[in-house]
Amino acid sequence: MSSAVEFDLSKFKPEAAVAKIRDAATAALYQFGEAVMTESKELCPVDTGNLRATGHVQPPKIEGADILVTLGYGGPAAAYAGIVHEDLTAKHGVGQAKYLEQPVV
């Protein structure tokens, strides 16, 4: 015995549903970026505090079907942020190398 269920989809607006899903995904990715940055700042080496202070998460950007959330370090610490991040031989009193990569992974 089988039964059928009928749906009237004539008033269904997929664009509105897609927009809501995109908005939810955008918010979730931004929250993920903020969580990564919070953990990253806990791992970031500290000498003067300049590097840690430059950690930032930019508001999401939508480019076509892509949602982009950019996070990083820079500003006055831009000249050495990458060096500190990549130097696995450096000994830090506070923090460690790969301070941004590790929380992302």
Side-chain angles (χ1 to χ4, degrees):
M1 182 172 176
S2 66
S3 61
V5 177
E6 292 184 28
F7 294 97
D8 177 8
L9 298 177
S10 64
K11 295 180 183 175
F12 177 64
K13 304 284 187 221
E15 298 83 12
V18 169
K20 287 182 180 182
I21 292 167
R22 185 189 63 235
D23 291 347
T26 300
L29 285 172
Y30 185 70
Q31 289 175 343
F32 175 73
E34 289 286 355
V36 166
M37 184 54 64
T38 297
E39 186 176 338
S40 176
K41 285 185 177 185
E42 293 171 3
L43 299 174
C44 182
V46 176
D47 183 17
T48 65
N50 286 337
L51 179 58
R52 182 181 282 179
T54 66
H56 63 279
V57 179
Q58 295 179 356
K61 292 182 183 179
I62 297 175
E63 295 182 2
D66 296 329
I67 303 168
L68 307 173
V69 175
T70 301
L71 53 151
Y73 292 83
Y80 59 89
I83 295 167
V84 173
H85 186 269
E86 295 300 321
D87 187 355
L88 299 175
T89 64
K91 303 293 181 215
H92 303 285
V94 174
Q96 66 179 53
K98 303 294 185 177
Y99 53 89
L100 182 55
E101 181 178 330
Q102 182 177 330
V104 171
V105 172

